[in-house]
Amino acid sequence: MEAANGKEALAFFKENARPISAVITDLRMPVMDGLELTRTLRLDPHTRDLPILATTVMDYSEAEESALNAGVNDILAKPYKPGVIRKRLANLITLRENAATISSIKSDTLTHVFTREYFYTLITSTLFENPNITYDIFFLDIEHFDLVNGMFGDQTGDEILQLTADVFSKAVGSMGFCARIQGDQFAALTVRHHDQLTSICHTISDAINTFDIPYQLNIRFGVYPITDRTIEPRHMCDLAKMAAKSIQDQYGKIYAFYDESFHQKMVDEQLITNNMEASLSREEFIIYYQPKMDMAQRKIIGAEALVRWQHPKLGFIAPGRFIPTFEKNGFITELDRYIWRHVCADIRRWLDKGWQVPPISVNVSRIDLFSPDLGDYLLKILADNALPIEQLHLEITESFFVSNVDFVIDQVQHLKDQGFIIEMDDFGSGYSSLNFLSDMPVDIIKLDMMFLCRPAHQGATESIINFVIQLSQWMDMAVIAEGVETEEQVQMLLDFGCRYGQGYYYAKPMPRQKFETLFIQNLKAQTPDIPENSLVENNLKYTMPFPMDSIPYIEIEHYLANAPFGLSIQTKDPGNGKIKMLYVNRTLCKELGFSPDVFIKLSKPDLINLTHPKDRPHILDNIGQAEQEQRPWKVNIRVKSEDHKWVWFRAQGQPAQNNRIYITLRRLTNASTISCGVSTRQAAGDNSSREPNP
Ligand code: C2E
Ligand code: MG
Ligand code: MG
């Protein structure tokens, strides 16, 4: 565009929506000369950085100074060559555009602190220019920020980030400069002042928490004191971040220093990563098997395949050390598929020897669930080895079910639809709620070993185990307890109705050959199967969950209705002071041969009349004492059946409010032995019931 003087030129900037890339102006012009035009353009923020090229016929050197002072970028003396002016103009425009790009990538568009890339270059130059000052990388992370976005929306999330950047850069002040590393993570390079760290961290955290939302934002800080200046700035930030992450979800900790052990961990990860592929091709990953037991019958009912890494130089490496790394770098999928292929080949070989092989379970990493062909791949290796689908169980870890819940449920459902039997591994180790169980399409629950590791006979732990077992049984899921190490644990689990277990008490994971030997021994030693619905099953399956005060009454009724034999009573009936039956479930009536109506009639006026006269003083004694102390009780009793026989039960009661007692019964004698009084086959290890005696 061409203008006759400066004023006309200025009008272009007002009228034209199109951006103007550069201006060539004569210095001498009527109305408004080039110097004035330049000065005016430099005052307006929109044209402040515009390239301006001045031309002049005056003595070049004379004009130069005043033009440059006014703000022109370059001067050309007339007459000029078009080629030269075009080139100079192009250079000016390119320079200007580069500068614009740099300033836009210098600061983060949302929070206006430095961007990560620019931050790294600033760190390098600052460290270089100030060799005698000691610095830290100071890292800030908002915990579970995705939750905040989810709960309050992205707009609020953005505002919180802006506030955070603001608060953080003010706190850092003249001690350094800060940047947004990514998402909700910020970092600063600061001059070292460790004595003030605690108060600085709290000040920042408090200021961010002034944001008006009904949610406490947990801010964690990590500090990497820069000792080695040759480390790349990006990596320094990683180290500070590691420190912040090391205290994630820890109550009462707001900052942590980077520790050498973190570095060791990284080195370790690197070593593992460098060696994994070669090791897989050299078949240095081997499979160990650990039997799963039917604890009531001491019989192997399955086995879990567990990987081991036997490296020629690094030695024996436990899965806890390499699986997390493989899950991070994705190698786990390759390794797991290798394991599954070998497990299927093993099963095929055992079947070919004519053995009755129980289901073998393999671990499926959460990462494997992201492969779209997971189910098809498994089906293919089963087909390659001509194995039925029930032969291979899949263990999927519960803790993963916490995040991406819907995705996981879909994936697991898909596997189930394809016919796989799914075991929920490490149940109880994560954050899942019991509700979650009902959405999760699993067949078997593996109770995390942490339940058994806790100090023995801790009331709370026992009642949780008991409750989980009850719940899973209602939902028709089998339970396998992991980490069974002692005889007492076996007894407790059996008592609670958990029949299956896996753990060092029976066997540690072992190499294939050893497992084969054990397996053959077990096959030979097996007693004939106790028939279905035998007393062991019936007797052991249901016991009462404690403590029951926390469970609403209606649920207890529901529980009693689902237990084989359950009833609730009221002692000291206000009418007559006797024992009144409040509720009885159908199965108990049926077991004794009565219709519920008849049983209720017979229970009046005093339920105690249905028990053996010799047992009564003992029963009343027990009930009285337990009520006084508000504790559960257990007692063996005989109850009269419709055909006038005495049937032995183990009764468990739990006192509740208003002289109520909830009772479940376990049958101690089976139908065919009622008349003999005492069963020959008792609950394994339950000494008190071996010789029923009130
Ligand atoms: P997991 O699947 O829960 O396996 C059970 C772990 O508990 C095994 O540890 C086993 O050796 C150990 N264990 C069994 N009984 C007892 C006991 O009585 N006491 C104690 N203290 N521990 C017992 P391991 O073999 O070190 O495996 C650790 C975890 O590594 C496994 O936990 C599983 O999550 C993972 N893992 C192992 N092999 C594989 C694999 O092939 N693929 C994948 N994706 N993960 C695997
Ligand atoms: Mg497992
Ligand atoms: Mg487990």
Side-chain angles (χ1 to χ4, degrees):
M1 292 177 297
E2 212 174 319
N5 57 52
K7 210 161 196 172
E8 253 178 52
L10 281 180
F12 283 139
F13 286 96
K14 295 224 165 64
E15 289 157 19
N16 267 290
R18 275 174 56 201
I20 291 170
S21 305
V23 172
I24 309 173
T25 180
D26 233 318
L27 285 179
R28 218 189 265 168
M29 284 184 294
V31 187
M32 182 190 275
D33 68 9
L35 290 181
E36 199 180 340
L37 171 68
T38 305
R39 284 192 204 101
T40 316
L41 288 173
R42 288 299 179 239
L43 286 177
D44 183 340
H46 297 104
T47 51
R48 186 187 298 149
D49 299 320
L50 192 72
I52 301 175
L53 184 65
T55 59
T56 178
V57 285
M58 290 187 295
D59 176 18
Y60 186 82
S61 58
E62 217 176 82
E64 196 178 19
E65 202 177 332
S66 49
L68 288 175
N69 281 340
V72 305
N73 301 88
D74 203 359
I75 306 173
L76 276 178
K78 278 184 185 172
Y80 46 73
K81 298 178 187 139
V84 172
I85 208 163
R86 220 175 264 131
K87 193 70 207 155
R88 290 220 177 167
L89 202 54
N91 285 347
L92 273 181
I93 293 173
T94 312
L95 266 175
R96 163 77 202 109
E97 282 173 356
N98 283 349
T101 324
I102 287 170
S103 91
S104 79
I105 57 169
K106 226 161 97 173
S107 72
D108 176 53
T109 44
L110 178 68
T111 61
H112 304 301
V113 292
F114 291 133
T115 55
R116 170 174 71 190
E117 264 63 32
Y118 189 68
F119 182 58
Y120 296 152
T121 54
L122 268 188
I123 293 177
T124 309
S125 57
T126 308
L127 293 180
F128 180 75
E129 286 158 17
N130 302 284
N132 298 322
I133 302 179
T134 49
Y135 289 98
D136 290 340
I137 300 286
F138 189 34
F139 195 89
L140 180 156
D141 177 32
I142 306 177
E143 237 172 62
H144 306 301
F145 191 70
D146 46 341
L147 279 181
V148 177
N149 271 332
M151 279 188 289
F152 306 107
D154 291 351
Q155 165 81 29
T156 304
D158 283 355
E159 286 168 22
I160 293 172
L161 292 178
Q162 284 164 341
L163 175 69
T164 305
D166 204 37
V167 166
F168 192 46
S169 43
K170 279 199 185 110
V172 168
S174 60
M175 299 210 317
F177 46 85
C178 57
R180 180 167 174 216
I181 301 297
Q182 64 174 47
D184 58 328
Q185 297 169 351
F186 296 83
L189 179 81
T190 58
V191 176
R192 192 168 304 166
H193 272 303
H194 288 176
D195 47 334
Q196 292 164 28
L197 206 54
T198 311
S199 77
I200 291 177
C201 292
H202 282 288
T203 310
I204 296 174
S205 172
D206 292 348
I208 296 172
N209 270 294
T210 56
F211 195 90
D212 191 20
I213 42 164
Y215 181 87
Q216 163 83 26
L217 294 161
N218 284 326
I219 318 288
R220 308 285 161 167
F221 299 89
V223 183
Y224 168 64
I226 300 175
T227 43
D228 180 355
R229 292 187 178 219
T230 61
I231 298 180
E232 268 191 50
R234 177 186 302 275
H235 187 54
M236 291 178 180
C237 289
D238 284 343
L239 300 180
K241 176 174 163 179
M242 260 191 234
K245 289 283 177 198
S246 73
I247 49 168
Q248 179 154 345
D249 290 317
Q250 285 187 33
Y251 181 75
K253 290 204 175 146
I254 189 160
Y255 72 86
F257 281 102
Y258 168 77
D259 178 308
E260 274 305 311
S261 70
F262 298 163
H263 181 68
Q264 191 48 49
K265 223 173 116 191
M266 271 182 42
V267 171
D268 214 45
E269 275 184 13
Q270 201 53 51
L271 192 72
I272 284 169
T273 307
N274 293 345
N275 281 282
M276 62 194 189
E277 263 155 10
S279 260
L280 189 67
S281 63
R282 291 194 302 254
E283 310 225 329
E284 286 162 9
F285 290 98
I286 40 182
I287 301 170
Y288 272 41
Y289 290 96
Q290 185 180 33
K292 295 180 177 177
M293 304 295 294
D294 176 333
M295 299 188 288
Q297 299 191 46
R298 289 195 151 258
K299 175 181 145 189
I300 297 179
I301 47 107
E304 176 176 6
L306 293 155
V307 67
R308 298 289 179 262
W309 189 358
Q310 189 69 63
H311 191 274
K313 289 210 183 81
L314 305 174
F316 185 87
I317 314 174
R321 220 180 113 196
F322 59 83
I323 300 258
T325 307
F326 289 176
E327 288 186 333
K328 257 195 231 168
N329 65 26
F331 186 66
I332 191 68
T333 300
E334 212 173 315
L335 175 66
D336 274 348
R337 292 185 175 203
Y338 169 91
I339 300 285
W340 305 335
R341 288 195 303 271
H342 279 73
V343 168
C344 286
D346 278 351
I347 300 175
R348 180 72 261 158
R349 228 187 354 264
W350 295 331
L351 288 172
D352 288 347
K353 290 183 184 180
W355 297 352
Q356 273 206 332
V357 185
I360 307 291
S361 37
V362 290
N363 287 286
V364 174
S365 161
R366 58 206 168 114
I367 307 300
D368 299 332
L369 293 177
F370 289 94
S371 312
D373 67 332
L374 171 63
D376 295 342
Y377 186 85
L378 282 159
L379 286 176
K380 183 175 177 302
I381 51 175
L382 284 168
D384 288 349
N385 291 284
L387 296 178
I389 199 161
E390 315 82 67
Q391 197 67 65
L392 192 74
H393 287 194
L394 309 181
E395 290 193 12
I396 302 175
T397 302
E398 180 250 6
S399 58
F400 177 53
F401 297 151
V402 181
S403 51
N404 300 313
V405 173
D406 293 338
F407 173 79
V408 173
I409 291 178
D410 283 355
Q411 295 303 301
V412 177
Q413 185 64 56
H414 184 59
L415 288 171
K416 238 186 106 77
D417 293 344
Q418 287 181 303
F420 288 101
I421 296 176
I422 313 287
E423 303 190 14
M424 187 193 274
D425 206 351
D426 304 336
F427 178 79
S429 63
Y431 298 94
S432 72
S433 72
L434 292 173
N435 289 340
F436 180 67
L437 261 187
S438 58
D439 295 332
M440 218 37 232
V442 301
D443 306 274
I444 295 168
I445 290 178
K446 294 191 77 186
L447 200 61
D448 192 66
M449 66 179 79
M450 131 206 134
F451 286 115
L452 294 182
C453 288
R454 291 199 194 162
H457 305 301
Q458 258 189 8
T461 307
E462 286 191 11
S463 54
I464 293 169
I465 299 179
N466 197 0
F467 191 74
V468 172
I469 293 167
Q470 305 294 332
L471 201 76
S472 53
Q473 282 169 345
W474 291 347
M475 303 179 89
D476 251 353
M477 299 173 181
V479 179
I480 301 179
E482 293 185 82
V484 180
E485 292 185 354
T486 66
E487 172 71 28
E488 289 84 65
Q489 289 171 341
V490 173
Q491 289 315 323
M492 178 186 69
L493 289 163
L494 282 173
D495 219 27
F496 287 161
C498 177
R499 182 167 170 171
Y500 307 112
Q502 175 183 352
Y504 295 172
Y505 176 71
Y506 294 104
K508 289 194 171 177
M510 60 190 86
R512 187 181 63 219
Q513 271 184 333
K514 212 171 153 204
F515 178 69
E516 288 175 357
T517 317
L518 180 98
F519 192 61
I520 296 165
Q521 279 170 3
N522 200 268
L523 274 178
K524 282 186 196 145
Q526 255 167 48
T527 47
D529 277 3
I530 298 176
E532 280 291 301
N533 299 325
S534 69
L535 81 158
V536 176
E537 183 75 44
N538 271 332
N539 280 346
L540 292 177
K541 220 171 172 182
Y542 292 90
T543 47
M544 193 82 106
F546 299 115
M548 296 215 299
D549 281 348
S550 54
I551 305 169
Y553 182 71
I554 184 86
E555 277 179 32
I556 294 174
E557 295 285 75
H558 174 76
Y559 164 75
L560 292 174
N562 281 280
F565 314 133
L567 70 161
S568 63
I569 60 171
Q570 186 174 25
T571 59
K572 306 191 197 86
D573 179 358
N576 55 15
K578 313 247 184 238
I579 297 183
K580 182 179 173 184
M581 190 168 73
L582 299 172
Y583 172 88
V584 62
N585 71 4
R586 280 171 187 282
T587 42
L588 178 58
C589 303
K590 206 168 142 209
E591 186 74 6
L592 294 167
F594 301 112
S595 74
D597 289 348
V598 173
F599 192 75
I600 290 165
K601 232 179 242 159
L602 288 172
S603 75
K604 288 172 184 166
D606 195 340
L607 181 66
I608 198 86
N609 294 339
L610 285 179
T611 61
H612 196 289
K614 277 194 184 161
D615 300 348
R616 288 176 201 167
H618 188 67
I619 294 171
L620 292 173
D621 237 37
N622 252 289
I623 290 181
Q625 226 169 22
E627 258 194 334
Q628 237 173 17
E629 294 160 25
Q630 280 291 307
R631 60 170 171 78
W633 48 262
K634 291 182 191 177
V635 59
N636 293 342
I637 59 171
R638 280 164 284 187
V639 183
K640 194 186 275 174
S641 66
E642 201 265 338
D643 53 357
H644 301 284
K645 293 199 168 123
W646 292 110
V647 186
W648 278 104
F649 286 99
R650 174 96 164 134
Q652 275 197 52
Q654 169 73 30
Q657 285 162 354
N658 302 330
N659 304 106
R660 275 212 175 104
I661 301 180
Y662 303 110
I663 301 172
T664 49
L665 299 165
R666 216 165 83 183
R667 190 160 176 163
L668 292 176
T669 50
N670 86 13
S672 59
T673 56
I674 288 175
S675 46
C676 313
V678 180
S679 162
T680 47
R681 210 198 310 262
Q682 293 302 327
D686 186 348
N687 292 328
S688 57
S689 62
R690 202 153 275 160
E691 281 186 16
N693 186 339

